[in-house]
């Protein structure tokens, strides 16, 4: 593939994927990053590549059909990787409509324009449309239940998960109805550099460093499968290149842990790498807060299909991945300050 269109490439996973592609000196094509730059889309995540001739940024929405059409035709795109999504469960509980607009209607418009473009290509077997989704579409598991597989029925329990499940269904339908060459990945909880600090791991790191409470929902025993973002990017790239058209691939981290265990590990790493001045442990800042509505109890991802068919498995353990993550946040004070002061949004809007 010589020309890739990445949607939502200024977000957490999207920007890490852009960096993953452009870090490969063998990639001599063009990568177009389309991002609307909502609150979690930060162009600073990719400032290293501002002068890279292979990289092109376009501000816009996946729901803008005319823009999508122009980008596809004008650049003769070979592949699309769709990261663009509203992704925070708490926000979806407060404002579900925005999640339908982006995750469902936006994805449908992107599919529609991509199919029309692909149809005009004729008998091309190069073009691919890869849709990045979540394990939350499968719902929740009991302690004794087996891990999610690609055949697990959908049972979304939050407006966010419902919107992603709907988009997954539309992607599937475009393959079965039109023969459109789609691929879908459903991943477990990602963590790593450039993650917006509303998610558990960066929130705990930054709150700890700022001497704030470390809020833990309910009893903290909700279990998640944790996936280091660079491992996820490798998996997406592999599926894009070698995945079977029409198939879904679950991507997991082989690391199922309770939220409280994640917080304790972060506190332990910070105690080692940036000790508190008073000599106490950051774990003293833990506090338990009322659980959120409909909070899924357990996610666990079986990634045997992508391992068996494509040879992928995660490289990072939780301990090594969290250490790399904590070290990154400790070394990137300016990025954190820009996020906390919304400076990057002010610059985008011409404020200040």
């Amino acid at each position: 593939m010589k020309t890739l269109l990445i949607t939502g490439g200024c977000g957490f996973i999207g920007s890490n994927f852009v960096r993953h592609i452009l870090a490969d000196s063998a990639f001599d094509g063009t990568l177009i990053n389309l991002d609307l730059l909502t609150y979690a889309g930060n162009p600073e995540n990719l400032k290293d590549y501002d002068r890279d001739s292979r990289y092109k940024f376009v501000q816009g929405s996946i729901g803008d059909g005319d823009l999508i059409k122009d980008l596809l035709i004008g650049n003769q795109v070979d592949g699309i990787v769709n990261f663009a999504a509203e992704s925070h469960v708490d926000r979806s509980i407060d404002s579900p409509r925005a999640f339908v607009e982006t995750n469902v209607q936006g994805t449908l418009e992107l599919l529609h324009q991509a199919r029309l473009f692909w149809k005009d290509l004729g008998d091309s077997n190069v073009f691919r449309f890869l849709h990045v989704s979540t394990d939350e579409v499968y719902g929740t598991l009991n302690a004794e239940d087996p891990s999610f597989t690609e055949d697990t029925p959908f049972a979304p329990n939050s407006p966010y998960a419902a919107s992603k499940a709907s988009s997954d269904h539309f992607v599937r339908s475009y393959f079965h109805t039109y023969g459109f060459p789609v691929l879908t990945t459903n991943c477990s909880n990602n963590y790593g550099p450039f993650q917006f600090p509303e998610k558990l791991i960066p929130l705990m790191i930054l709150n700890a460093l700022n001497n704030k409470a470390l809020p833990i929902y309910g009893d903290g025993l909700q279990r998640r499968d944790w996936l280091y973002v660079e491992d996820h990017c490798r998996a997406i790239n592999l599926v894009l290149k070698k995945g079977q058209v029409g198939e879904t691939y679950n991507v997991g981290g082989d690391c199922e842990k309770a939220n409280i265990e994640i917080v304790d590990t972060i506190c332990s790493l910070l105690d080692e790498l940036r000790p508190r001045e008073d000599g106490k442990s950051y774990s003293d800042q833990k506090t338990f807060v009322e659980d959120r509505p409909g909070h899924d109890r357990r996610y666990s991802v079986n990634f045997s299909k992508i391992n068996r068919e494509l040879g992928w498995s995660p490289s990072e353990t939780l301990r090594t991945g969290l250490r790399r993550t904590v070290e990154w946040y400790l070394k990137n004070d300016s990025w954190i300050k820009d996020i906390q002061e919304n400076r990057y949004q002010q610059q985008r809007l011409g404020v200040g």
Side-chain angles (χ1 to χ4, degrees):
M1 294 183 182
K2 298 294 291 184
T3 306
L4 288 175
L5 173 61
I6 309 299
T7 69
C10 287
F12 165 47
I13 305 176
S15 63
N16 274 281
F17 184 74
V18 170
R19 299 177 73 88
H20 175 76
I21 296 296
L22 295 178
D24 183 358
S25 59
F27 178 74
D28 60 355
T30 300
L31 189 153
I32 305 163
N33 175 13
L34 174 67
D35 198 301
L36 187 58
L37 295 183
T38 55
Y39 75 96
N42 185 358
E44 289 295 301
N45 294 354
L46 296 167
K47 65 179 181 180
D48 307 13
Y49 296 100
D50 283 347
R51 297 184 180 181
D52 192 319
S53 61
R54 301 171 298 166
Y55 176 66
K56 177 181 179 182
F57 172 72
V58 178
Q59 184 174 349
S61 168
I62 59 172
D64 186 340
D66 290 337
L67 174 59
I68 299 297
K69 179 180 178 180
D70 289 345
L71 287 175
L72 293 172
I73 295 174
N75 295 279
Q76 287 300 292
V77 169
D78 299 309
I80 298 173
V81 184
N82 181 33
F83 293 97
E86 296 282 349
S87 65
H88 194 251
V89 174
D90 287 354
R91 288 177 182 266
S92 80
I93 293 171
D94 294 335
S95 304
R97 184 168 296 171
F99 287 71
V100 174
E101 292 171 352
T102 298
N103 299 355
V104 184
Q105 295 173 345
T107 299
L108 179 58
E109 184 63 29
L110 185 64
L111 281 165
H112 174 68
Q113 295 299 334
R115 185 185 73 85
L116 294 179
F117 170 74
W118 164 79
K119 187 177 178 181
D120 288 340
L121 292 176
D123 296 329
S124 171
N125 61 0
V126 175
F127 186 88
R128 296 290 185 270
F129 183 107
L130 195 157
H131 176 64
V132 180
S133 191
T134 172
D135 60 356
E136 294 191 41
V137 300
Y138 300 123
T140 189
L141 294 168
N142 294 317
E144 68 280 3
D145 290 337
S147 301
F148 298 133
T149 71
E150 290 80 0
D151 296 322
T152 300
F154 281 15
N157 290 323
S158 70
Y160 161 63
S163 69
K164 290 299 289 185
S166 178
S167 67
D168 288 13
H169 285 314
F170 272 112
V171 171
R172 173 186 169 88
S173 75
Y174 265 60
F175 172 71
H176 287 278
T177 301
Y178 306 110
F180 184 54
V182 303
L183 300 148
T184 300
T185 57
N186 292 87
C187 69
S188 54
N189 280 34
N190 278 224
Y191 68 99
F194 300 106
Q195 188 169 28
F196 195 79
E198 66 186 356
K199 298 298 179 76
L200 177 67
I201 288 174
L203 178 66
M204 294 300 114
I205 295 171
L206 299 188
N207 274 19
L209 294 173
N210 288 304
N211 198 32
K212 295 181 179 180
L214 307 181
I216 301 166
Y217 277 133
D219 58 10
L221 298 180
Q222 305 88 354
R223 298 185 68 83
R224 301 291 183 261
D225 180 36
W226 295 92
L227 173 65
Y228 190 64
V229 67
E230 288 184 12
D231 281 333
H232 187 198
C233 292
R234 287 193 301 105
I236 293 169
N237 198 19
L238 192 60
V239 172
L240 184 65
K241 291 178 177 179
K242 298 182 178 180
Q244 179 66 40
V245 168
E247 291 295 314
T248 294
Y249 297 88
N250 281 355
V251 185
D254 194 25
C255 182
E256 186 182 331
K257 297 290 183 181
N259 287 347
I260 189 66
E261 294 178 84
I262 299 298
V263 176
D264 286 338
T265 302
I266 291 170
C267 291
S268 174
L269 286 167
L270 286 172
D271 288 342
E272 172 192 345
L273 298 171
R274 183 73 64 82
R276 279 176 39 163
E277 292 182 358
D278 60 8
K280 295 181 179 179
S281 173
Y282 287 98
S283 62
D284 290 351
Q285 295 168 224
K286 291 188 300 184
T287 183
F288 292 88
V289 298
E290 183 179 356
D291 210 351
R292 72 181 176 208
H295 200 175
D296 289 338
R297 194 64 176 172
R298 174 178 171 243
Y299 305 144
S300 179
V301 174
N302 182 327
F303 62 87
S304 60
K305 178 178 178 179
I306 190 173
N307 175 259
R308 180 179 66 252
E309 296 186 8
L310 303 181
W312 178 89
S313 61
S315 298
E316 297 290 342
T317 65
L318 179 67
R319 189 74 185 186
T320 61
L322 277 180
R323 176 176 286 275
R324 291 182 65 183
T325 301
V326 170
E327 288 175 343
W328 186 88
Y329 280 93
L330 290 177
K331 292 175 182 176
N332 285 273
D333 290 338
S334 61
W335 184 89
I336 293 169
K337 188 174 182 179
D338 284 347
I339 288 288
Q340 292 176 330
E341 297 178 356
N342 291 324
R343 185 177 302 163
Y344 71 97
Q345 288 186 328
Q346 293 171 3
Q347 289 172 346
R348 171 171 62 85
L349 297 171
V351 177

